[in-house]
């Protein structure tokens, strides 16, 4: 008995009765052979089908290539704007050729790609830019377009200040937000109208402090303000008035405004204006500029009351050097409640970041106050990127206010001041030349409208005679005269005094106050100075400025000639030029935006009458110098 039963498949007919076993297996074999032949035929038919499709594809892609080639040829017939455009087209062509190559190769391997290409072909050649398949490659370097240098938006589009002062006066009471006390004081000081710069800037500062001292508008830090307006346009009052107005509402005395100026004289001048408008309020103004000893200044800064050190100043006017001394020596100057940082003559302050004064002030402002709760509005952290998180706890704002007649337009320089969303008020509005880098661009400034500029061709030896001619014959006094060195100022002063008939003085630090007073009262006809008095100094009644030595830099020129034609008045500026200086000097002045400098020729005949006397004076001066030297050395 067999252990297993083997059942063999005999086909569909297996169960049918068949005459013999052999005939049955032969029939089965025949059937299988037929099926195999059928399958072979089918395969053959499929293969031939594929071949024809492939041939069609090849023909199609060649057609595409021809099309592109034709298009390129027609493109080249058109005038090509530039070399760059041509190169770009060539590269585009090159890339599309690459794509085609990839496409042709891939058709041999993949049916999917074949189908997709078929689709593309059917869609026609209308949309050639969109091949409809993934483009491999294309990593070749693109021609990098030249960087277009443009000014930041805030520098390129400032709030425009009208240059014409007289035509754009705004009555004091038209500016909202000023207390009657302050308005009365303005009237008392002879100011019934605001100048254009004041009418624009005062409301902007007041608006930022609408919510009081501790919090910015809407809880945000106010925008910093930059002001670029001509010399004598009234920039000082543009910051003094709003700062006094805002601080008037304070309860506790803390240093809340700090004005930094480059020189002692300027600090003293601004201190006087602050004091005049703070008078009658509880605000205290202090100057830290080195006129007094450090310990005397320190004593006036704060006092001990009920065991606590309390500030004795709300507004401080300082020079950077003295300011840093007080911060480093921890002399009681606390800036942790500082609300306004005013930087006057800002371009000069940027150029000479003396002892990195700004970073020291910022450190003193944000460094303390950490002991308080993090969410307190009294706590301060130095501004970084503005994020939702960084803005959520309200902070006591610090606002920077920059003023200058020659504010730089160089964003890299301004960046040093770390301004927060700055807003520029400027009377010089011009489109930036995008092709010239900021560093190479000749900076342009605004000149006072009432200023008439002249240059006088001369020789070195005739310069003193020309000055005498201006005073004695042309009656142009009082003249403020600038030399490039103290020696030249001293020499000229001696010469003119020896000549006689002219009241002359040198503006030296020792006798500065009295000299300025005499000059303003008209008892000095010729005041000779170096560039120490060129910036910011406000001397009333200067009819004429003479550049006895031509200034080397255009900014120096702008500030020197800006000592006249102030507050909307008219004035004259003469520059004595040697033959070799003429071309470069005139180019420098015109590039800086001067409305025009005219030639003033003084004929030799005009000086003839003075020449004999002048020669004698020269000999006398030489003799005096010889005697003086002998007395010194023998
Ligand atoms: N609204 C006004 N009405 C009349 N005089 C004014 C007014 N504002 C300012 N002044 C006067 O104009 C003169 C020039 O003002 P100020 O010194 O502020 O000019 P500035 O723009 O700061 O000039 P600079 O750039 O040379 O420093 C000053 O004598 C000042 O008293």
């Amino acid at each position: 008995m067999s252990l297993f039963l083997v059942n063999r498949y005999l086909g569909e007919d297996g169960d049918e009765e068949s005459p013999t076993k052999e005939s049955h297996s032969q029939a089965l074999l025949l059937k299988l052979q037929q099926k195999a032949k059928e399958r072979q035929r089918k395969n053959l038919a499929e293969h031939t089908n594929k071949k024809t499709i492939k041939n069609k594809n090849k023909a199609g892609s060649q057609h595409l290539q021809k099309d592109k080639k034709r298009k390129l040829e027609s493109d080249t017939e058109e005038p090509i704007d530039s070399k760059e455009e041509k190169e770009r087209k060539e590269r585009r062509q090159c890339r599309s050729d690459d794509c085609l190559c990839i496409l042709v190769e891939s058709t041999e391997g993949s049916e999917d790609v074949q189908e997709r290409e078929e689709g593309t072909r059917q869609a026609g050649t209308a949309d050639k830019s969109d091949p409809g398949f993934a483009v491999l490659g294309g990593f070749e370097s693109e021609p990098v377009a030249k960087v277009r240098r443009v000014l930041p938006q805030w520098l390129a589009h400032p709030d425009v200040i009208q240059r014409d002062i007289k035509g754009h006066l705004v009555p004091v009471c038209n500016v909202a937000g000023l207390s009657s006390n302050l308005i009365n004081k303005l009237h008392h000081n002879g100011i019934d109208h605001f100048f254009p710069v004041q009418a624009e800037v005062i409301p902007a500062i007041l608006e930022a402090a609408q919510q009081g001292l501790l919090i910015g508008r809407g809880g945000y830090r106010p925008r910093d303000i930059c002001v670029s307006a001509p010399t004598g346009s009234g920039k000082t009052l543009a910051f003094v008035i709003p700062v006094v107005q805002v601080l008037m509402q304070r309860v506790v005395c803390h240093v809340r405004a700090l004005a930094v100026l480059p020189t002692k004289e300027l600090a003293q001048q601004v201190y006087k204006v602050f004091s005049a408008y703070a008078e009658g309020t509880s605000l205290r103004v202090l100057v830290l500029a080195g006129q007094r000893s450090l310990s005397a200044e320190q004593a006036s800064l704060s006092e001990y009351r009920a065991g606590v050190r309390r500030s004795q100043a709300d507004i401080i006017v300082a020079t950077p050097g003295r300011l840093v001394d007080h911060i480093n020596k921890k002399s009681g100057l606390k800036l942790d409640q500082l609300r306004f940082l005013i930087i006057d003559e800002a371009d000069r302050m940027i150029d000479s970041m003396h002892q990195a004064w700004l970073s020291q002030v910022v450190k003193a402002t944000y460094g303390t106050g950490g002991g308080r709760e993090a969410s307190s509005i009294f706590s301060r952290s130095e501004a970084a990127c503005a994020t939702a998180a960084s803005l959520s706890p309200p902070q006591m704002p610090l606002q920077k206010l920059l003023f200058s007649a020659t504010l730089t337009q160089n964003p890299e320089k301004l960046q040093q001041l770390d301004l927060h969303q700055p807003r520029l008020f400027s009377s010089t509005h011009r489109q930036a030349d995008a092709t010239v880098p900021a560093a190479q661009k000749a900076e342009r400034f605004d000149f006072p409208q009432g200023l008439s500029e002249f240059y006088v061709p001369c020789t070195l030896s005739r310069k003193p005679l020309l000055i005498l001619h201006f005073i004695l014959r042309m009656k142009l006094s009082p003249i403020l005269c600038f030399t490039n060195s103290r020696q030249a100022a001293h020499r000229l002063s001696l010469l003119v005094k020896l000549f006689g008939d002219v009241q002359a003085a040198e503006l030296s630090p020792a006798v500065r106050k009295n000299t300025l007073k005499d000059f303003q009262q008209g008892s000095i006809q010729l005041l000779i100075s170096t560039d120490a008095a060129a910036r910011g100094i406000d001397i009333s009644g200067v009819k004429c400025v003479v550049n006895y030595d031509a200034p080397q830099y255009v900014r120096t020129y702008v500030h020197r000639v800006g000592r006249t034609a102030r507050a909307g008045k008219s004035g004259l500026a003469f520059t004595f030029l040697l033959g070799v200086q003429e071309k470069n000097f005139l180019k420098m002045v015109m590039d800086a935006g001067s409305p025009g400098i005219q030639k003033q020729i003084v004929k030799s005949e005009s000086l003839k009458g003075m020449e004999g006397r002048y020669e004698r004076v020269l000999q006398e001066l030489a003799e005096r110098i010889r005697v003086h030297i002998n007395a010194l050395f023998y």
Side-chain angles (χ1 to χ4, degrees):
M1 203 175 112
S2 59
L3 278 174
F4 303 100
L5 172 68
V6 178
N7 277 329
R8 185 176 287 181
Y9 173 69
L10 298 174
E12 284 94 54
D13 319 322
D15 293 338
E16 282 171 25
E17 281 296 305
S18 56
T20 59
K21 268 188 182 176
E22 287 99 68
S23 61
H24 179 78
S25 37
Q26 263 181 359
L28 197 63
L29 186 66
L30 261 174
K31 234 179 195 177
L32 285 171
Q33 279 171 342
Q34 262 178 358
K35 273 186 183 175
K37 270 182 190 167
E38 247 170 61
R39 216 175 294 144
Q40 251 179 358
R41 233 179 290 127
K42 237 185 200 174
N43 282 352
L44 201 72
E46 267 178 27
H47 189 68
T48 46
N49 229 4
K50 263 187 200 174
K51 254 191 172 174
T52 49
I53 289 171
K54 203 159 88 182
N55 287 341
K56 270 185 195 172
N57 284 345
K58 261 190 185 169
S61 54
Q62 275 165 4
H63 182 71
L64 258 174
Q65 271 177 325
K66 270 181 193 166
D67 262 10
K68 280 184 186 272
K69 210 170 175 185
R70 228 176 294 134
K71 191 173 179 295
L72 227 180
E73 277 165 11
S74 69
D75 279 352
T76 45
E77 276 162 27
E78 286 165 17
I80 293 172
D81 296 344
S82 66
K83 210 177 162 189
E84 281 174 13
E85 179 68 12
K86 193 177 167 188
E87 280 172 13
R88 227 178 295 132
K89 275 182 179 170
E90 277 171 3
R91 276 202 186 79
R92 227 182 294 138
Q93 160 70 8
C94 185
R95 231 179 304 145
S96 51
D97 283 351
D98 284 352
C99 301
L100 279 170
C101 291
I102 291 161
L103 176 71
V104 171
E105 276 164 25
S106 59
T107 48
E108 289 174 1
S110 150
E111 282 185 19
D112 287 355
V113 177
Q114 254 182 30
E115 278 166 21
R116 251 182 279 144
E117 202 210 344
E118 187 99 320
T120 318
R121 217 171 28 244
Q122 277 165 8
T125 49
D127 187 12
K128 282 178 189 171
S129 61
D130 178 17
F133 46 80
V135 178
L136 301 178
F139 303 117
E140 68 277 2
S141 59
E142 279 264 332
V144 181
K146 246 189 175 174
V147 175
R148 263 190 84 234
R149 289 167 190 270
V150 285
L151 285 176
Q153 198 71 1
W154 71 275
L155 271 177
H157 303 286
D159 291 56
V160 177
I161 298 169
Q162 296 298 332
R163 276 183 64 218
D164 173 20
I165 293 181
K166 283 186 182 161
H168 295 88
L169 292 172
V170 176
V172 164
C173 45
N174 280 15
V175 172
L178 294 181
S179 70
S180 54
N181 181 17
L182 211 46
I183 292 176
N184 289 340
K185 211 167 279 171
L186 282 162
H187 288 313
H188 182 256
N189 291 337
I191 291 173
D192 300 322
H193 295 86
F194 280 131
F195 288 168
V197 65
Q198 296 158 353
E200 290 286 337
V201 176
I202 294 173
I205 300 175
L206 290 178
E207 191 199 7
Q210 248 174 10
Q211 309 292 311
L213 290 170
L214 297 180
I215 196 163
R217 196 170 170 224
Y220 292 101
R221 191 176 158 196
R223 295 175 69 178
D224 292 334
I225 287 178
C226 302
V227 180
S228 175
T231 49
S233 60
K235 293 185 288 294
T236 314
L237 278 187
F239 62 81
V240 167
I241 297 295
V243 166
V244 170
Q245 175 62 51
V246 171
L247 298 191
M248 254 182 201
Q249 296 145 20
R250 69 103 171 101
V251 181
V252 183
C253 177
H254 283 297
V255 179
R256 301 191 202 256
L258 171 65
V260 191
L261 293 110
T263 62
K264 239 191 249 202
E265 291 74 26
L266 287 181
Q268 191 65 34
Q269 188 175 292
V270 169
Y271 164 74
K272 274 189 191 161
V273 183
F274 262 122
S275 301
Y277 288 94
E279 202 189 336
T281 69
S282 57
L283 294 176
R284 296 177 211 179
V285 188
L286 206 68
V287 62
L288 304 177
Q291 284 101 340
R292 295 177 297 154
S293 68
L294 195 76
S295 53
E297 287 179 353
Q298 184 176 358
S300 57
L301 264 174
S302 58
E303 62 171 3
Y304 263 113
R305 239 186 299 139
V308 182
R309 188 171 273 280
R310 292 176 199 278
S311 172
Q312 294 215 84
D314 296 278
I315 299 165
I316 285 181
V317 185
T319 51
R322 248 318 144 92
L323 186 64
V324 170
D325 283 349
H326 281 284
I327 293 173
N328 288 343
K329 295 204 167 118
K330 300 199 170 28
S331 64
L333 173 66
K334 286 185 79 185
L335 298 175
D336 59 335
Q337 304 280 314
L338 194 66
R339 172 65 179 76
F340 296 107
L341 174 59
I342 303 143
I343 308 175
D344 202 1
E345 304 297 341
D347 58 306
R348 165 104 182 257
M349 299 296 284
I350 296 170
D351 285 343
S352 57
M353 275 288 181
H354 186 65
Q355 291 173 289
W357 69 268
L358 183 61
S359 59
Q360 303 241 35
V361 168
V362 171
K363 218 166 111 192
T365 305
Y366 292 108
T368 51
R372 298 199 175 104
E373 265 181 50
S375 60
S376 160
I377 49 171
F378 294 105
S379 72
R380 293 182 128 174
S381 55
E382 208 172 330
C385 296
T387 62
S390 71
L391 293 172
S392 55
Q395 270 205 31
M396 184 163 54
L398 171 68
Q399 191 177 21
K400 290 181 192 136
L401 311 174
L402 270 69
F403 293 82
S404 179
T406 49
L407 190 72
T408 177
Q409 288 239 330
N410 186 343
E412 285 143 33
K413 281 195 174 181
L414 287 165
Q415 206 179 0
Q416 292 179 48
L417 299 170
D418 193 20
L419 299 174
H420 173 73
Q421 297 181 356
R423 184 175 172 190
L424 174 67
F425 292 87
S426 173
S427 46
T428 29
H429 181 60
R430 55 197 166 260
Q431 274 314 107
D433 182 358
T435 52
V436 187
Q440 292 165 21
K441 216 181 295 178
E443 291 193 285
R444 291 172 71 81
F445 307 111
D446 238 349
F447 291 69
Q449 267 212 328
L451 179 72
S452 308
E453 298 164 79
F454 300 91
Y455 72 94
V456 186
C458 67
T459 58
L460 210 56
S461 59
R462 282 175 58 154
K463 279 186 182 184
L465 269 177
L466 280 173
I467 271 281
L468 291 166
H469 171 75
F470 274 30
I471 297 171
L472 297 172
R473 302 260 166 85
M474 290 170 78
K475 309 274 180 219
L476 288 174
S477 58
I479 291 178
L480 179 58
C481 174
F482 287 102
T483 58
N484 282 354
S485 67
R486 278 171 72 178
Q487 289 84 343
H490 192 58
R491 223 181 300 131
L492 178 64
S493 156
L494 280 176
L495 202 64
V496 174
K497 277 178 191 166
L498 275 178
F499 190 88
D501 297 343
V502 175
Q503 295 300 316
E506 240 182 292
L507 190 62
S508 62
V511 290
R512 186 183 182 91
K513 205 172 166 187
N514 290 337
T515 313
L516 278 178
K517 204 171 152 197
D518 290 345
F519 184 65
Q520 284 175 3
Q521 285 172 354
S523 50
I524 291 176
Q525 292 167 289
L526 177 68
L527 184 62
I528 306 160
S529 170
T530 60
D531 285 324
R535 254 188 197 258
I537 288 290
D538 185 47
I539 310 170
S540 65
V542 180
K543 274 197 213 161
C544 175
V545 167
V546 170
N547 290 315
Y548 185 82
D549 293 328
Q552 220 177 332
Y553 305 105
V554 75
R555 277 165 200 262
T556 314
Y557 176 77
V558 172
H559 286 282
R560 279 184 182 185
V561 298
R563 296 315 100 202
T564 186
R566 295 174 74 76
K569 297 192 184 108
S570 59
L572 303 168
F574 293 89
T575 305
F576 293 172
L577 287 181
L578 306 178
V580 287
Q581 294 174 322
E582 234 174 83
K583 193 177 159 213
N584 286 346
F585 178 83
L586 294 178
K587 184 180 182 306
M588 176 179 85
V589 172
M590 293 315 287
D591 284 353
S594 162
I597 178 163
Q598 298 159 46
K599 190 170 185 173
Q600 174 78 34
I601 294 175
V602 179
K603 290 183 183 151
S604 314
E605 301 87 69
S606 315
L607 306 175
K608 274 225 164 91
M610 293 189 293
E611 272 174 352
R613 193 169 160 191
Y614 176 64
E615 289 299 328
R616 285 196 296 280
V617 166
L618 272 182
Q619 281 168 13
E620 195 182 330
L621 184 66
E623 181 62 23
R624 280 197 187 196
I625 290 171
R626 201 176 54 81
V627 171
H628 185 70
I629 290 172
N630 279 348
L632 275 177
F633 294 102
Y634 303 106

